[in-house]
Amino acid sequence: MSSVKIALRAAKSAIDACKYEDAIAEAHNALSADPNNYHAKVFLGLALDKLNQNEASEEAYRAAINIRGQDALAWQGLVALYEKETSEKLDDYHHAALRLAEIHMANDDRTKCQAVIDKYIGDARKYGSRSQLKHSLEALLPGSSIYNYLEGRIQQPAYTYIKIADIVEAEEREKTNSEIGQRRTRLGARINQVTAEVNREVLENSPLEELYSNVINWTQDDDVRRQYEEKLLQHATDTLAALPMPRKAAKREAVMKMAEGLVILKHPFLLAWNIVMEWKDVEEIKDLDAGLLKEFVGFFPDEGLSKVLKGYLDSEITPFPGFAAAQKDGVKDEEGNPLFTIEDRLIIMIEGIEDASKSILAHRLVGEYYLYLDEYERAVSTARAGIKCIVADSNNWGLNLAHSCDAMNTILATALTYYQAPRHHAEARSLFEQVLRGKPADTPALIGLGMIYEEEEDYESAIDSLNRALKKSRDPIIKAEAAWCKALNGDNEAALRELEACLPELEDQGIKTKSLRSQTLYRIGMCLWSLDTNRGARKDRNGAYARFLASLQADMNFAPAYTSLGIYYADYARDKKRARKCFQKAFELSSSEVEAAHRLADSFALSGQWDLVEVVAQRVVESGKIRPAPGSKKEAISWPYAALGVVQLNNQDYAKSAVSFQSALRLAPRNFHCWVGLGESYHNSGRYIAATKAFEHAQQVEDAADSEGLWFVEYMLANVKRELGEYDDAVPRYRKGLKSKPDEYGVSIALLQTLVEVAWRNVELGFFGRAVDSAKEAIGVAQQIVRIRDDAFNLWKAIGDASSIFSAVQCYEGTLPREQLQCLLEDGVDLSVFEILADIDGINWDSFRLITDNSDQGLGGTPLSMIVSILAQKRAVHSSAKDPHARAVAWYNLGWAEHRAYAYCAETLYSSPRREPLRHVKAAVQCFKRSIELEAGNGEFWNSLGIVASNFSPKVAQHAFVRSLYLNDKNARVWTNLGALALRQSDTDLAHEAFTRAQSADPDYAEAWLGQGFLAARKADVVEARHLFAHAFEISDASNTLIKQQYANATFDHVASAFQAANTGDLLQPLLALHQVRRQLPSDIASHQLLSLFDERVGNFDEAVSMQELVGSTLETEYETAESLLALTRFAQARADLGRVQLAKKEFTLAAENAETALDLSTDEAGGRMSCRTVRLSAHMTAGLAYYYQGLMDQSIEMFKAALSETQGNPDIICLLAQVLWAKGGDNEREVAREQLLDCIERYPRHVAATILLGSVAVLDDDQDTLQAVTTDLEGLRTNDDLSVQEEGRIAQLLTSIASLHPTHESRDVSELSRATSIIMLGPSQPHGWNQLASVSGDNFPAEIAVLTAVKAVPPRGNLEAEDLCRAYARSGKLDDAQRAAMIAPFKTPGWEALGEWFRDD
């Protein structure tokens, strides 16, 4: 033991001398002798602490504590060690300090105990976190082991609790924000949901309520206590809102208890007062505590609920009289009434409800006051907002606010009953029924339900509901309403007694009572009115009339009384002026007075005041009275929508009028006039299909036997069909309408205009006969119209247009109804009317007399139809004298009539001087100038002036076109006309630009494409010109002769210059076009001659001969008149063409004669002209062939030789000459034929016909050398892509014949087979090779392939002719193909032979 003591002393001395390593060694020496030596471990811990070996030091101290835990020395060392490591060892520091303090407490040393605690808390506050500081402060709380010992020496618990609460508040705020920030970034997270979840988690586990309670319990400061009572209530309220619904009940009770405690203490904490006042579910407002309301207003005078309470409690409906006066220190007026006016109350309550937007009580009070003031719209919005507040509070606090909900529903339903009635009656009835399910005797609900039944005309149910309400309340209002329902139900006597019994109870002078008295007097009057319907009784001024006046004396603003007085004045007193004033007053007071509005609208409509009609109808629509509630027995009112539709129709607002009529028809589906109005709206807005359906429905609705308006429906339907172009349906409908209204000018003129449109439409479609028939029919209708009215501009315009049909289809000029037109023009008119512009155009009454002469000639070349058209348009000008716009159009129409006359004369009098037709041009210019003077902003007028001015003044024309484009630069016609003017002036760039602009403006305008075709032709681009002419023809109508002429010319030029023969199908369109031109322009010789050439091409030789004879006779007459070289050439050409066609008809003698005549007429003087050389060549060829077929070989050869000499060896003529020489049969002639063919092939080595002829001659002569040479040439020609299908077939046939008749080294079958396969390789898509392969091989497969290729090679996909297709079918070896072959080409033998083989086999 002595060694241990020595070591301990040495260790202490070393520590005192700061020799800590020596101290450690000495301590170890002591421990080696006594391992459980307490002081040695303490010295060791202290030395290690000084050397900053903290972990070893802590281990030594704890070892010492384990030896003697109640000794303070080791704990002091450990606390000192932790003081150095406060930031890291604060939790261990807390345990050590508290244990050391307990040891000092055990030793009764308060000073050291407090010092340890103070030092620890100070270090925790300085170095620790909020949670560590909170943990350290818990040592000072009453639950601590040292609290009782140090009480009085440490701070008060309330202060400690406050500090801890502050720390917890900060921690919870930080945690809430952190969690919300983290969770809101999750996929699909919503901020509201995340916030609610985090708040619930934090508030459920929060210790703040306990801390706030401890502060309240321990503090001695009342202000602090009240502050933390507020915090406690606020935290509890927040926790209640966050809790799930099943757990809210207990918490809500605690919150309510806390709030009531604060209210009892009169503490002005708004949340507590709001909870107490808002959470109370009272059935009526009078059940609230008046003192509580008073205190609330006193504590919180600026709060929204206080403002609402001030206004409500001061109002007439307050259940606490005198409250407002008390609030105002007893200040009243002289009569003791409150000093607030209604306006003041409304202002303060509106301000309050805006501030208290979440208060259920505020919305309930304001809603009831709005109902009292009959402000139903505001009551509806307020009640709906209040219901939302109830739902929100029920969800937040878990409250059961059944009474408040019923009260708010009653307010809402009552307001909906009157607001825009009966629009919201279905919703109101549902709300009333919901209230009555919980409270079957609820008086307001029963009254409201009765009012709804009354509005729906279910009077028995209304009486039942009101009687149930009377059992609980004897209010005279309910009595009067129940009596009125009886009156409406037909029991006027009982109603009259009950209503009169109510009058004594309505003697009060209040505003509501006056209004009710007025209403009751009015209803008494209505009962009297209904009891005796005799006219005398109703006129009695002491009866119902007196009650209506008494009603107005009681309340001058009671609208129904004005309506009844208006009906009295209108129907019985015959005072329209007073009646109108009464109706106006009634409607001004209430838009629900539908009867007054209806009569007022009728009177405005009769006086033409459509703006006022619209105002009245629109206000009735907005009132909501016209549309009954679902399930109501009340009929809908459709006239306001119909009136709106009529007004909008008059204002040309067709889209809105259609909507209005649709709305009217939804209310009255069988309203005939609404269907007509809807159809008219659709028609005017361009919706013709919808208009048709509407008018047809109108016909179904209205009974034809009883209706006077069906003729109008027929008329409108005819207009719709006319707009749709369905003239075949429109014309009969107009006639049907005229049967009902024969003198109706509108229907008659519409029929006339439709017939004219039909005529022009038929001209466009090419149905010229139908067009003339329609024009005649139109003239007949015009005769009937003249008897009704002969001064209408549209009438004479239509007559002029109908007459123009005969000039548009000139072949029917002779069918012009002269007598009818004479009667029309001279009927009731001063003949001086026709002197308009007569000094210029020469057409006046004297010209009119030509119509009666039965002459086929007009005046100076102007046809009779155009004279009639001009005279009719002159009369139209006279008829439009009072209408400037119509007069401008009339001059415009007259100008076009003059221009058409000029165009006709220019076409037919091309060989005569130009002075004659210029008179019409001058007249047209004057007409267009006058139309422009009257209406300078019309681009069509300027365009027309430019057209007529193009003939004599290009500058004026250009100015007119530019002006027209300035007015409308999207007009394709004007751009085309400008392009035509530029083309005539050789300005091709401007012309191209103008035509391009026209194409852009309207791609379907054919004349623009025609202009581009002329430009292409001028640039010698023949192919492009032909395509453009063809496209123009495809998109144009039949009325344009120029397009058809150019298309036919371009097509014929292409066909004539083409190497291959044209398909007949390609010639059909130009042929038909020329047939139309022939009927439109019978005097156009050039078109007739071109038509004969097309007829010749398609094999219509009879028509071609007759046409050529007509052309020849016309040209002969022309030549005899003019005796010009040009006329002679044309006549010679006509004879040559006639001879050629006669040759095709096998009239060889006539053909030879006409050809000889053509040769005689083509003199040497004209022989140098290309056209004359062509005529002579054609005549020589025709004469040569004609002589050949007559057997006159010498003459034939002479003609061919002459043709050769004139054409300098034309290969086609050489071929014909060779055939004729060979046919003659002489050796010399055949030798000459061989020489001519050899010479031709030498000069024209690619000429197929010459090579084939030479090969045929060589086959007949068995000339092997020539055959070899021809075979080589034909093999080379077969590779030429320009060969036609027919030429390929002829080459293949000749090569096959050579191979079969003159085989070389190969056998015959092998040679023919090889030849056939070679043909197939060169042309696999042609049937010729396959046919030959089938005939050589005898196999069916090549024959089937030949049929397939032949079907694909026929037009329009190829140029294979019918004969070739016939051969392919004939060789297939099938019966059905043999039948097809005979059907396709019945004029060829292969099909019949194949068909005969089948029957021969049978």
Side-chain angles (χ1 to χ4, degrees), residues 837 840 891 921-931 945 948:
L837 299 180
I840 299 177
W891 280 112
V921 175
K922 295 178 181 178
V925 169
Q926 292 300 319
C927 293
F928 292 136
K929 284 183 177 179
R930 294 190 185 185
S931 65
L945 178 61
V948 297

Side-chain angles (χ1 to χ4, degrees), residues 645-646 648-655 657-658 661 676-688 690-691 695 712 715-716 719-720 723:
V646 173
Q648 291 157 353
L649 203 59
N650 288 334
N651 294 335
Q652 298 182 359
D653 195 349
Y654 304 120
S657 68
F661 284 123
V676 174
L678 179 62
E680 194 169 353
S681 301
Y682 283 145
H683 170 259
N684 292 328
S685 59
R687 300 170 63 182
Y688 300 121
F695 286 130
F712 183 74
Y715 167 68
M716 291 304 300
N719 288 340
V720 174
E723 295 291 347

Side-chain angles (χ1 to χ4, degrees), residues 250-262:
K251 191 68 176 178
R252 184 177 62 252
E253 295 297 329
V255 170
M256 188 67 182
K257 185 176 181 180
M258 286 187 280
E260 288 176 344
L262 288 174

Side-chain angles (χ1 to χ4, degrees), residues 121 132 173 255-256 319 458 593 644 688 729 774 776 906 1055 1075 1228 1245 1254 1291 1309 1342:
I121 291 176
Q132 291 172 332
R173 280 196 302 271
V255 170
M256 188 67 182
D458 188 358
E593 291 302 307
L644 280 176
Y688 300 121
D729 193 10
S774 296
K776 291 178 181 178
V1055 170
H1075 273 290
N1228 293 331
L1254 183 58
I1291 292 174
D1309 293 340

